[in-house]
Each structure stands twice: as structure tokens, then as C-alpha cells.
Amino acid sequence: MKKRGYGIANMWYGIGNTAAPNPSGAFVDFLDDGSAIVMTGCADIGQGSTTILGQIAAETLGIGIDEVVVISADTEVTPDAGATSASRQTYISGNAVRLAAEKIRDQVILKAAEILKREPETISLSNGSVFANHTPSGLTIKEVIAKCRSNGILTLAHGSYNPSTTLLDPETGKGIPYETYAFATQVAEVEVDTETGIVEVLKIVAAHDVGKAINPQNVEGQIEGGCAMGIGYALMEEVNMKEGEIQNPAMSTYLIPTAMDVPEVYSIIIEEPADKGPFGAKGVGEPALVPTAAAIANAVADAIGVRIYDLPMTPERIVAALQAAKEKVE
């Protein structure tokens, strides 16, 4: 018999390393042709950080994303940006890039104000052009950079960011381990075959507070990937040990979800800006994974009326739990 159930799980997650120094640096160079180079040690391992950091620089400098080249994770030329871990790169390296770009933007604005004989506060940059009181001035960013060059001014800067945290009290555990937190709620719908113990995840609804979705499509990809990993955590991934030796070291024996195991994931992006995040952004890498297994476990319990506390919830464990519950009743 197949039984259907629904489960919900909530989570909150600190962004960045826990109560530890967490700096990141970046260089940004505004070139003669109005394009820019971003140099960062941030390693893009598939999460899309190179795109995000390029977008942050482009938005700050008032140019298109196609006019930004990001050089990343080259230890010969890029500054340290820390590890790609702890869901930290958009928040921390994003701030480093933003700060570097802001220094250059302000430099260009000062020169533009001088050329236009306006107050700097009235000047803004957008689409490669200079605006005065939000009106096109007829001056381009490229022309302002050329003027800077003729005056011996280089338009390049370094930015760095280290979030404000404190060490944790060794006695009480109190402190400020993170500068900001991500929040999420996920709901899972499952169908459990009570004869075979096989669980099919039918649908996941995942609502995540990401502060500001700098690239919404990228955020949705992160959420979908996290949910896929959460399905593996809930239902199949397990390291089998015997006398200190891993018994399933190969991908043929250590099971992970395939495309056939991943259901429809309905992502909901919540934007509650982080005070100190770049344009309000937080991180979404690990938070997308955290609540999935709990939501599936709750859905399984709702479906079969038996709570299973060990992960993964393999068919064998589910059949055994159902049998134990049946014997307890008898």
C-alpha cells in the first residue's frame, strides 16, 4: 500500500566562519575603455560566485555585466578571499568587491563633478554614462576615466571585508559568532510504499530568505541543488564502516540522488535585506540543504504514522520500523 504524507521543517543558519576571523580581499581596476577587471581569490566551484561578483562590480560602477572580467582563484595574482565554504562568498567577498568598486566609483564621480561643475552628490553612473540629478549629462564614464588618466589618476582600488564577530565564551558559549543569518522553511510531499519501504519524494516547496537575490536564477539553482543533496541525506547517502575501513568507497556503492530521484522543487525567494550584505545579500549555499531531510522525515512520519530517527531512511529501515510498530500493537 502506498501512503502519502506532508512534512515541514524550518532552519536558521549563520553566514561565514563561526566566531573566527573571516576576511576577504579584492582588486577592481576601471580600464581606459570603460570596462573593469575584478581580481578575487574566491574559487567558483559551481555556485556561481564569479557571476555574482561581476554583477556586484557592474552595478556599483554603473556599467554592464558584459563589461566586467572576473579573474578568480589564481594564487599568483589574486588576493586572498578565504575558502569557498560556510556560505560566505557572496556576503563576504561580495562586500570586498563592492568596497573596492565604491572607491573607484567615488573617484570617477569626483572627476565628473569637476568637469560638469556640479556637486558630487548630484552625480551618478549608469549604463556607461554620467548622470547629473538623474538626467543624462552627455558625458560618458570612458571620457571621465580618460580625464583621470590625463591628470595622472589611476582608477583602481583594493577592498577587504571581515565581518564583525566575537569569540565564544568558553564557559557559557555566548558571543556573536555570525554577522548575519539566513532563514528558510521547506515542505515535502512524499509517497511511501509500506510493502517495500521505498520513499518517493513527490514535491518540495522551499522558501528561503536570501537577503537580496543578486541573481535570482542562480539562487533558484542553489536551492534546487541543496534540495537534491537533502534528499540524498534523508534517503540514501551513508558511509558504511567496518573495523575502520569504508565499505562503500565507490560511486557504484555509495548512492546519491540522480535526476530521476529529484522531484519538482518550487523555490520561493524571500528578500529581507541584510544590513551589511552587498546590496542586502546573504548566502544560500548550505541553507538550501539544511531543512530538506527534516521535512522529508516529517512527511514520512505523517504518511506511515511511525517516527524514524535514523538517517538515511532506507527501505530496510522503514520496513523494520513498520514491523516493529505492528508487533508493539499486537
Side-chain angles (χ1 to χ4, degrees):
M1 178 184 297
K2 290 186 177 180
K3 294 186 175 181
R4 189 165 295 199
Y6 301 85
I8 186 170
N10 305 313
M11 75 99 219
W12 54 282
Y13 192 85
I15 301 302
N17 299 336
T18 307
N22 204 2
S24 176
F27 293 113
V28 177
D29 190 357
F30 223 163
L31 303 177
D32 292 8
D33 63 356
S35 65
I37 295 176
V38 175
M39 301 177 74
T40 169
C42 171
D44 191 333
I45 55 175
Q47 79 276 28
S49 58
T50 298
T51 300
I52 296 299
L53 298 181
Q55 286 184 262
I56 289 172
E59 182 69 18
T60 305
L61 296 172
I63 59 178
I65 181 65
D66 57 338
E67 295 174 298
V68 178
V69 172
V70 179
I71 300 174
S72 65
D74 184 338
T75 54
E76 284 192 338
V77 296
T78 57
D80 184 12
T84 294
S85 62
S87 305
R88 61 183 290 283
Q89 291 293 14
T90 293
Y91 186 81
I92 298 174
S93 291
N95 265 327
V97 170
R98 175 184 63 82
L99 291 168
E102 284 179 351
K103 291 178 184 176
I104 304 168
R105 178 199 63 193
D106 293 346
Q107 199 172 37
V108 171
I109 284 177
L110 278 176
K111 181 57 68 178
E114 178 185 312
I115 296 170
L116 297 171
K117 302 186 187 311
R118 300 288 191 106
E119 293 298 321
E121 294 76 18
T122 67
I123 303 297
S124 58
L125 309 178
S126 181
N127 295 322
S129 298
V130 177
F131 288 71
N133 289 323
H134 308 292
T135 303
S137 67
L139 191 64
T140 67
I141 292 175
K142 181 179 177 181
E143 290 170 334
V144 178
I145 293 175
K147 186 65 176 177
C148 288
R149 293 286 189 276
S150 67
N151 293 160
I153 300 171
L154 292 177
T155 46
L156 59 85
H158 171 253
S160 64
Y161 191 76
N162 187 32
S164 299
T165 60
T166 66
L167 297 175
L168 300 181
D169 186 293
E171 296 295 328
T172 66
K174 292 182 178 179
I176 304 174
Y178 308 103
E179 194 170 69
T180 194
Y181 293 82
F183 303 88
T185 294
Q186 292 188 5
V187 177
E189 179 183 2
V190 306
E191 193 169 72
V192 184
D193 189 320
T194 57
E195 299 296 326
T196 64
I198 292 175
V199 177
E200 182 180 1
V201 182
L202 302 175
K203 186 176 184 179
I204 293 176
V205 178
H208 285 259
D209 170 19
V210 300
K212 171 66 178 176
I214 292 175
N215 188 315
Q217 186 178 35
N218 198 335
V219 169
E220 290 181 1
Q222 288 274 68
I223 293 173
E224 291 167 3
C227 288
M229 293 178 68
I231 291 171
Y233 182 35
L235 300 178
M236 58 190 77
E237 293 190 50
E238 185 172 33
V239 176
N240 297 321
M241 302 288 291
K242 183 179 181 181
E243 297 178 354
E245 184 175 338
I246 296 175
Q247 301 299 300
N248 55 339
M251 297 304 291
S252 60
T253 52
Y254 181 90
L255 301 181
I256 63 173
T258 69
M260 298 294 289
D261 299 304
V262 179
E264 175 189 4
V265 178
Y266 186 76
S267 303
I268 300 173
I269 296 174
I270 309 295
E271 293 184 312
E272 183 68 30
D275 291 341
K276 297 182 179 179
F279 299 98
K282 302 177 181 177
V284 70
E286 289 147 307
L289 158 68
V290 173
T292 309
I296 293 173
N298 287 334
V300 169
D302 181 53
I304 64 175
V306 177
R307 174 68 64 178
I308 297 174
Y309 295 97
D310 295 323
L311 297 180
M313 295 175 289
T314 59
E316 293 83 359
R317 282 178 175 152
I318 287 180
V319 169
L322 287 169
Q323 183 63 32
K326 182 180 178 182
E327 292 174 355
K328 188 176 181 180
V329 171
E330 294 174 349

